[in-house]
Amino acid sequence: MELRHIRYFMAVAEELNFTKAAEKLHMAQPPLSRQIQDLEKELGARLFHRTPHMLKLTEEGVLFSQYAVQILELARRSAEGIRELHTGLTGTLYLASVEGHAPRLISEWIAGFHKLHPHVQYDLWNGSSDEVTDRVTKGLCDLGIITSPYSTEGLSVLPVYDEPWVAILPKDHPLALEDGDTIRLEKLSPFELIIPSRRSRLQEITGWFELSGNRPHILCRISNTLNAYMLVEQGVGIAIYPASANDIRTPDSICIRRITDPSVTVSYALIWKKNQNLSHAAEALIRYVRDGMSAS
């Protein structure tokens, strides 16, 4: 049995169609069928139920597919490890993150990690927490940064940062003219609000106001902080976003106040798929982040 036989088998097992599997492998269908038949003879068992209109794994095929995944992963990691003995850590890290403080975290990690492992490359993707989680779960990205609230089901989660929520007001708003750099939440209740579009954010923010016996007047829900800024500048409403919104602040037209009573925070977490064999580069970055947090 050779690795190519296992790769051929996995292609057929994934497609459950010899023609599609052959196209995926860039080979003709008859040779592929013969290779699978040879593999079945060597194993002494049929791996697929074949009918004119259907192809599915036998019980033996299901078991062999579990071994095949481990064998191919071990082969990949072995080759990766040998190459890295000569060249150092290599490969591409596929990272996904939300907005807010996450891009700053990633840029700081990459800057330090690149000095240690200059041959590693990066592919960055940006979206909502739900989208980031989906990409990590589906294996499209190695690691992701999301914000609370989040589910830990099927994920390994490493909290990495907390920041307060703030109110973003027009500079000439009556609340902006008050002294101090904080604002009590109940003072925002009479005004129309602009909040992040994530569904859980609406529930979270509504819950804050209900603690003081109020309900928020939600005018607009926007995923992009810059768009919220534009609406605030036009006097449309007051925006409630994490404090990292201050990174794009335009001082002449905008005022930022940290929300208190209650003092509310948002947590950022580094996530990866649980029970998945990560690349050496992904494992090394997780260790780098953990070590950095321990040292700070």
Side-chain angles (χ1 to χ4, degrees):
M1 185 189 309
E2 299 179 20
L3 279 177
R4 61 185 174 88
H5 292 121
I6 298 175
R7 292 192 177 98
Y8 293 162
F9 165 78
M10 286 303 299
V12 178
E14 290 168 358
E15 299 294 337
L16 291 177
N17 183 292
F18 275 98
T19 302
K20 290 182 179 179
E23 292 174 355
K24 183 177 181 179
L25 294 166
H26 305 290
M27 64 186 297
Q29 187 266 325
L32 176 60
S33 296
R34 287 195 297 272
Q35 294 286 348
I36 297 300
Q37 289 170 4
D38 291 344
L39 179 60
E40 289 176 322
K41 288 179 183 178
E42 183 175 350
L43 293 172
R46 295 184 68 83
L47 301 175
F48 295 96
H49 287 299
R50 298 168 174 83
T51 69
H53 304 292
M54 184 180 67
L55 183 71
K56 69 176 184 178
L57 288 166
T58 63
E59 184 177 351
E60 293 85 352
V62 171
L63 178 60
F64 186 70
S65 69
Q66 296 170 358
Y67 288 124
V69 168
Q70 297 177 49
I71 292 168
L72 293 176
E73 176 62 19
L74 181 59
R76 182 191 68 79
R77 291 172 68 84
S78 298
E80 189 178 74
I82 295 300
R83 285 195 302 269
E84 288 167 1
L85 283 176
H86 296 280
T87 63
L89 203 62
T90 60
T92 299
L93 272 172
Y94 293 87
L95 308 174
S97 80
V98 295
E99 288 189 325
H101 196 76
R104 180 181 294 275
L105 288 172
I106 285 184
S107 64
E108 291 174 351
W109 294 343
I110 289 178
F113 194 72
H114 179 65
K115 293 177 181 178
L116 299 174
H117 307 290
H119 299 297
V120 174
Q121 297 179 313
Y122 306 89
D123 188 304
L124 307 181
W125 186 90
N126 182 264
S128 69
S129 283
D130 294 337
E131 291 169 333
V132 170
T133 299
D134 185 61
R135 290 183 72 86
V136 171
T137 301
K138 289 180 177 178
L140 299 175
C141 287
D142 301 306
L143 308 171
I145 302 182
I146 58 175
T147 54
S148 58
Y150 47 75
S151 170
T152 60
E153 184 178 357
L155 297 172
S156 294
V157 178
L158 175 64
V160 291
Y161 188 76
D162 294 318
E163 67 176 337
W165 284 78
V166 298
I168 308 170
L169 308 97
K171 200 77 170 181
D172 58 356
H173 193 282
L175 293 179
L177 302 177
E178 295 182 1
D179 293 334
D181 59 1
T182 63
I183 187 169
R184 296 196 342 265
L185 184 71
E186 65 178 1
K187 286 195 170 186
L188 303 177
S189 58
F191 301 99
E192 294 179 317
L193 301 176
I194 301 160
I195 67 171
S197 60
R198 188 178 172 194
R199 179 176 297 180
S200 57
R201 289 286 179 242
L202 175 61
Q203 299 168 345
E204 183 179 12
I205 292 170
T206 298
W208 302 342
F209 282 90
E210 287 178 346
L211 288 174
S212 60
N214 297 298
R215 286 192 62 82
H217 298 281
I218 307 298
L219 172 67
C220 190
R221 295 164 62 189
I222 306 176
S223 60
N224 187 283
T225 310
L226 183 59
N227 289 343
Y229 256 78
M230 298 300 103
L231 288 176
V232 171
E233 284 189 313
Q234 295 300 317
V236 173
I238 297 173
I240 297 180
Y241 280 79
S244 52
N246 201 28
D247 292 345
I248 58 172
R249 180 178 177 183
T250 51
D252 293 337
S253 57
I254 294 297
C255 175
I256 304 289
R257 293 283 188 269
R258 180 169 55 83
I259 295 173
T260 62
D261 303 313
S263 294
V264 285
T265 60
V266 59
S267 298
Y268 293 78
L270 181 66
I271 62 169
W272 58 96
K273 191 175 180 179
K274 191 176 290 184
N275 301 324
Q276 174 173 296
N277 291 320
L278 295 171
S279 67
H280 290 171
E283 291 176 343
L285 182 60
I286 293 170
R287 288 195 300 270
Y288 176 83
V289 172
R290 278 201 174 112
D291 291 346
M293 293 175 61
S294 299
S296 61

